Amino acid sequence: AILVFEVVLFTGAALVMGLIDEASLAAHAIAIQIASIAFMVPLGFGQAATVRIGRAYGAGDSEGIRQAGAVAFWMVIAFMSFTATMMVTFPQALIGIFIDAAKPENAVVAGLAVSFLFYAALFQLVDGAQAVAIGMLRGLHDTKVPMILAAFSYWAVGMPLGIWLAFGAGLKGAGIWIGLSGGLAVVAILLLARWQRRHILGLEKS
């Protein structure tokens, strides 16, 4: 359900981007495709964390739970740090997979895509962190509260912030991406805080 919320969030962002102009929508489509490809790795680590933590949870192995979560989390952080670096360092090469940025008619879209990739790079770490945190908590059979936290972060923080920045503050497409980053950051912080407090919350067997 949480993944559905995130997919709908990014779909909604595309719809709002279309209200700005065609170039922004095209640039958004390019940047989000690149970010989505990078997201597949933390998504996979999250699923692996669910299995490993679930096995340790069933065995009552507190140390196994901690280790499985730590390994998955830090591997995701390392990978997303790499993808963020690539997006900032080689944006033209990444965009060139989708369009020929050298053509004059593509100049506006390419320029916007480069700026959007910068914001995508900024949210790589929090996007990866929230993806793996969801998997970690799922391994503890904790799904309802994380779903509520995700819905709040995406739709009460991320989307309203993006819309206000885009139209109210005049940042246009950049505002949408900042809003997405903000929503992902909030859910990452909330989920990781819940993971850290798993003993207090009674999520882990004593």
Side-chain angles (χ1 to χ4, degrees):
I2 296 177
L3 183 59
V4 172
F5 283 145
E6 186 169 0
V7 170
V8 174
L9 172 69
F10 281 96
T11 301
L15 293 175
V16 175
M17 198 71 73
L19 298 176
I20 299 173
D21 54 48
E22 293 180 358
S24 295
L25 179 58
H28 175 79
I30 293 171
I32 206 67
Q33 283 292 325
I34 296 170
S36 296
I37 292 170
F39 179 74
M40 292 300 101
V41 172
L43 182 63
F45 272 112
Q47 293 173 344
T50 297
V51 175
R52 292 192 64 209
I53 291 171
R55 287 173 60 88
Y57 175 81
D61 182 1
S62 180
E63 179 59 18
I65 291 172
R66 186 196 66 78
Q67 289 184 356
V71 168
F73 176 78
W74 288 114
M75 290 188 74
V76 164
I77 292 300
F79 177 79
M80 296 305 261
S81 296
F82 168 74
T83 60
T85 301
M86 292 294 290
M87 290 177 186
V88 172
T89 309
F90 306 108
Q92 296 287 357
L94 294 172
I95 293 166
I97 298 172
F98 299 89
I99 60 172
D100 184 354
K103 291 184 177 181
E105 60 268 29
N106 293 333
V108 174
V109 172
L112 287 170
V114 168
S115 68
F116 293 166
L117 263 189
F118 173 77
Y119 292 108
L122 293 181
F123 78 51
Q124 286 297 286
L125 294 181
V126 291
D127 196 19
Q130 62 94 22
V132 75
I134 290 168
M136 290 155 59
L137 290 169
R138 189 183 299 120
L140 299 178
H141 300 178
D142 183 33
T143 56
K144 183 177 180 180
V145 172
M147 179 183 67
I148 295 171
L149 295 177
F152 167 79
S153 301
Y154 297 154
W155 292 102
V157 178
M159 183 58 74
L161 176 62
I163 291 174
W164 180 81
L165 290 173
F167 300 103
L171 296 181
K172 297 185 178 180
I176 299 297
W177 277 82
I178 294 172
L180 293 176
S181 300
L184 291 170
V186 170
V187 71
I189 292 170
L190 292 176
L191 292 178
L192 289 173
R194 187 167 177 81
W195 168 261
Q196 291 295 330
R197 299 177 68 244
R198 62 189 181 277
H199 294 288
I200 298 173
L201 297 172
L203 300 177
E204 185 176 328
K205 298 176 181 178
S206 57

